[in-house]
């Protein structure tokens, strides 16, 4: 497969395995190459070799939260698009602080319909 025809790669980090695996399955069926991991530490480990175009990360996780993990991955892959997934209202405050630093992370609010997720990712790629 040539670069021009390669599927966009998405790395999904969520400590709720059912959510991570379900998102990966939806995105793989939607024309992406998605891989699920269950912690930000694992996402940071996998990012240099998988080289995803996008990261979808839950915000509230043990060990390292999704925002901290996204910042570390962005340092490795500066062009990666980052979507932070959360059902928590406190996420907005955390994001404001990080976006003030110029990261430009986007928020995806749980629950999220699969069609809406795919549409949002495709729109982001076109921007």
């Amino acid at each position: 497969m040539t670069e021009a025809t390669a599927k966009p790669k998405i790395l999904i980090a969520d400590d709720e395995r059912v959510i991570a695996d379900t998102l990966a399955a939806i995105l793989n069926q939607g024309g992406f190459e998605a891989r699920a991991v269950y912690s930000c530490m694992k996402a940071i480990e996998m990012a240099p070799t998988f080289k995803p175009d996008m990261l979808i990360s839950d915000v509230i996780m043990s060990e390292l939260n999704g925002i901290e993990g996204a910042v570390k991955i962005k340092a490795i892959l500066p062009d990666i698009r980052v979507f932070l997934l959360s059902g928590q209202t406190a996420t907005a405050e955390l994001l404001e602080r990080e976006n003030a630093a110029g990261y430009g992370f986007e928020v995806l609010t749980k629950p999220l319909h699969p069609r809406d997720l795919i549409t949002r990712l495709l729109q982001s790629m076109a921007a």
Side-chain angles (χ1 to χ4, degrees):
M1 189 179 288
T2 65
E3 278 298 311
T5 60
K7 294 179 182 180
K9 294 180 179 182
I10 302 178
L11 182 57
I12 301 160
D14 197 318
D15 56 355
E16 292 185 49
R17 289 175 180 259
V18 172
I19 291 174
D21 291 341
T22 300
L23 284 174
I26 289 166
L27 293 171
N28 283 323
Q29 290 175 356
F32 297 91
E33 181 183 342
R35 293 192 189 166
V37 294
Y38 312 117
S39 73
C40 279
M41 297 305 287
K42 190 66 179 169
I44 292 165
E45 213 176 280
M46 183 184 276
T49 54
F50 181 51
K51 296 186 175 143
D53 301 297
M54 295 180 217
L55 169 70
I56 297 175
S57 179
D58 188 24
V59 173
I60 309 299
M61 288 193 275
S62 59
E63 288 184 12
L64 190 66
N65 76 44
I67 295 171
E68 294 164 335
V71 168
K72 289 182 184 298
I73 291 171
K74 192 96 168 135
I76 298 166
L77 301 168
D79 294 332
I80 194 169
R81 290 180 178 93
V82 176
F83 295 87
L84 297 170
L85 187 61
S86 182
Q88 307 284 331
T89 54
T91 302
E93 293 172 18
L94 292 169
L95 267 175
E96 274 184 38
R97 186 177 66 230
E98 295 306 327
N99 280 337
Y103 290 111
F105 299 156
E106 296 184 51
V107 178
L108 299 172
T109 307
K110 293 178 187 177
L112 186 64
H113 190 280
R115 190 177 321 115
D116 295 337
L117 172 62
I118 291 171
T119 299
R120 181 93 177 266
L121 296 177
L122 291 172
Q123 287 172 343
S124 175
M125 289 171 46

